[in-house]
Amino acid sequence: MPVTLSSLNQSDQADFTAALGHLFEHSPWVAEETWPQRPFADADALHAALCRTMRAAPREQQLALIRAHPDLAGRLAQQKQLTAESTREQASAGLDRLTDAELAAFTRQNDTYKARFGFPFIICARLNAKAAILEAMATRVNHSPETEFTTALGEIEKIARLRLGDVLKQD
């Protein structure tokens, strides 16, 4: 449901969280903890505040946020159990139209990545096509765990910004 910045700035914590809680996958705490920082001058200021909240969270809470994201083209996608946002995002990258060979490649890459890092591979699917995602998976699996943790948070910020743009309408 679209909302305006002024309505968010005037909303109570419950309404603010209800409007923005989905921006960070299954982690409404980001919106809830950002609410006291109102008012926000514009969408960029709101997004920056949300990201500061995420970055200031304890590492275990950040890890839970990362782990809340589904595998790309994974079991939940195959069973049509993704959030509406994740479904649209994965579809925008063509992940809902994979050949058997591509699906096998994604499954292999997801499994290898999760075995190495203990969390799913995260990339802003709306900004990438399936070939670029597979290439990034093959490259990033060679990164250090700390680099990947930081990269995952950065990708989550991109995802949240696009989701915010979807929900925010002009005053």
Side-chain angles (χ1 to χ4, degrees):
M1 174 180 95
V3 296
T4 63
L5 187 63
S6 45
S7 69
L8 288 172
N9 281 335
Q10 297 169 21
S11 66
D12 63 23
Q13 190 174 34
D15 288 344
F16 186 89
T17 302
L20 302 180
H22 71 285
L23 300 183
F24 293 80
E25 195 84 9
H26 298 293
S27 302
W29 62 265
V30 178
E32 185 176 281
E33 293 179 21
T34 303
W35 173 80
Q37 299 174 45
R38 295 165 307 118
F40 303 101
D42 54 30
D44 290 335
L46 171 55
H47 179 253
L50 291 160
C51 292
R52 278 192 307 277
T53 298
M54 177 194 70
R55 295 278 183 171
R59 186 174 179 91
E60 281 305 310
Q61 197 170 14
Q62 292 173 340
L63 181 59
L65 166 61
I66 292 169
R67 287 180 174 159
H69 283 75
D71 287 341
L72 294 172
R75 179 184 52 79
L76 292 177
Q78 301 307 310
Q79 296 173 350
K80 307 222 181 297
Q81 294 181 351
L82 296 175
T83 63
E85 294 81 15
S86 288
T87 298
R88 282 191 303 276
E89 291 158 357
Q90 290 200 26
S92 75
L95 302 186
D96 60 336
R97 300 175 302 279
L98 298 176
T99 65
D100 289 343
E102 289 169 332
L103 181 57
F106 269 94
T107 300
R108 204 170 35 255
Q109 291 284 16
N110 280 325
D111 292 347
T112 300
Y113 186 93
K114 277 198 304 195
R116 172 147 164 71
F117 298 110
F119 53 82
F121 177 82
I122 300 177
I123 193 167
C124 184
R126 284 168 64 176
L127 299 179
N128 291 277
K130 62 185 172 184
I133 294 169
L134 274 174
E135 184 178 319
M137 292 173 100
T139 300
R140 286 176 41 191
V141 75
N142 297 309
H143 291 168
S144 72
E146 191 55 39
T147 296
E148 273 310 291
F149 190 90
T150 302
T151 300
L153 293 178
E155 292 297 317
I156 289 169
E157 289 177 347
K158 293 176 191 175
I159 294 164
R161 182 63 181 99
L162 292 172
R163 288 180 179 183
L164 178 61
D166 292 341
V167 68
L168 206 57
K169 68 178 183 176
Q170 295 295 340
D171 282 312

